Amino acid sequence: MAWARHRLLPARGDQRRPSGTLKAAFFIFASLCAWYSGYLLAELIPDLPLSSAVYSIRSIGERPVLKAPAPKRQKCDHWTPCPPNTYAYRLLSGGGRDKYAKICFEDEVLIGEKTGNVARGINIAIVNYVTGKVTATQYFDMYEGDNSGPMTNFIQSAPSKSLLFMVTHDDGSSRLKEDVKRAIEALGSKEIRNMRFRSSWVFLAAKGFELPAGIQREKVNHSDNVKNRYPGWPAEIQVEGCIPKGPS
């Protein structure tokens, strides 16, 4: 009976054979799946370099990035556009040795480094308020020479219905005499008598008419050895805004 039972039991090699066959079938199936997946991927991303293909794979499932359009440039580099029937202006004082003063009106640089008509002292531009056209520009050295008289005559010669824009570059006060201080005060300045050596100063004035009360007109920044942005010079300052146009 023992001999009979021994003949009925399969050999040890026969017990492992079904397991090996199953593994071989699974391996063939997995290989076919991998090949088919590669084929589908190649069909989905045809004729692309490897780097583009890798990027496309990484991008699957990512949220689309929405890019805001670049902001439109405004007149005189304002952040927002001026309303209709207004003039855009921006006054920038000089700062240090290399940052020149600038006067911009209706997106035209009236005085500045690129126009070549800016210099040490007080720089002035006169604009016809009705037409919006510049009528005169000039700079007056307030560190050397006697230029207070010519500056007074220049300011007083501006016709009625004029806009006057004034900015300093470097020093604008050392040789500023009483006559020109009175002429600038008559135009509405509150800071001209507070000017010091190398003070940064900007001023907008109207001759022959009144500007709206809310318009930025004047600003000053004094030299201070502790707070100066540049060695020996205060930081540049600016005013900007929109001036309602006059009747044509």
Side-chain angles (χ1 to χ4, degrees), residues 14-36:
D14 294 339
Q15 287 179 326
R16 289 194 301 266
R17 190 174 298 123
S19 177
T21 302
L22 182 62
K23 288 181 179 180
F26 179 78
F27 176 77
I28 293 172
F29 177 76
S31 300
L32 290 173
C33 289
W35 174 84
Y36 188 66

Side-chain angles (χ1 to χ4, degrees), residues 10-208:
R12 293 183 181 271
D14 294 339
Q15 287 179 326
R16 289 194 301 266
R17 190 174 298 123
S19 177
T21 302
L22 182 62
K23 288 181 179 180
F26 179 78
F27 176 77
I28 293 172
F29 177 76
S31 300
L32 290 173
C33 289
W35 174 84
Y36 188 66
S37 298
Y39 172 78
L40 288 178
L41 184 62
E43 290 296 319
L44 291 173
I45 312 176
D47 300 328
L48 288 176
L50 180 60
S51 59
S52 299
V54 172
Y55 176 79
S56 299
I57 294 172
R58 289 180 177 177
S59 300
I60 296 175
E62 292 182 357
R63 294 181 179 180
V65 178
L66 300 179
K67 294 183 179 180
K72 182 181 178 181
R73 183 187 172 278
Q74 306 299 333
K75 291 180 179 179
C76 294
D77 294 322
H78 284 198
W79 283 105
T80 57
C82 282
N85 296 317
T86 60
Y87 295 123
Y89 71 95
R90 183 170 181 254
L91 310 182
L92 179 68
S93 72
R97 293 185 181 275
D98 303 322
K99 294 186 179 296
Y100 290 89
K102 184 167 69 173
I103 297 174
C104 179
F105 181 78
E106 278 296 274
D107 216 27
E108 179 183 358
V109 177
L110 308 184
I111 287 179
E113 182 180 10
K114 292 184 178 180
T115 53
N117 59 348
V118 62
R120 179 178 63 191
I122 297 179
N123 299 260
I124 305 177
I126 301 175
V127 173
N128 185 305
Y129 174 59
V130 177
T131 64
K133 302 298 183 182
V134 60
T135 57
T137 62
Q138 188 59 269
Y139 59 83
F140 300 90
D141 192 342
M142 288 293 133
Y143 185 73
E144 292 181 343
D146 186 4
N147 295 304
S148 278
M151 182 173 167
T152 303
N153 294 334
F154 183 78
I155 291 172
Q156 292 177 343
S157 68
S160 182
K161 297 286 185 179
S162 290
L163 292 164
L164 291 89
F165 303 95
M166 306 184 192
V167 294
T168 58
H169 180 72
D170 198 338
D171 180 44
S173 66
S174 292
R175 294 180 178 269
L176 196 65
K177 294 185 177 179
E178 183 64 25
D179 56 346
V180 72
K181 288 181 182 179
R182 286 198 300 266
I184 295 175
E185 273 185 328
L187 293 172
S189 172
K190 305 297 183 184
E191 300 288 352
I192 192 61
R193 293 190 180 275
N194 298 326
M195 292 273 287
R196 305 173 191 169
F197 178 67
R198 284 181 174 165
S199 291
S200 294
W201 176 70
V202 293
F203 177 51
L204 161 63
K207 186 174 181 180

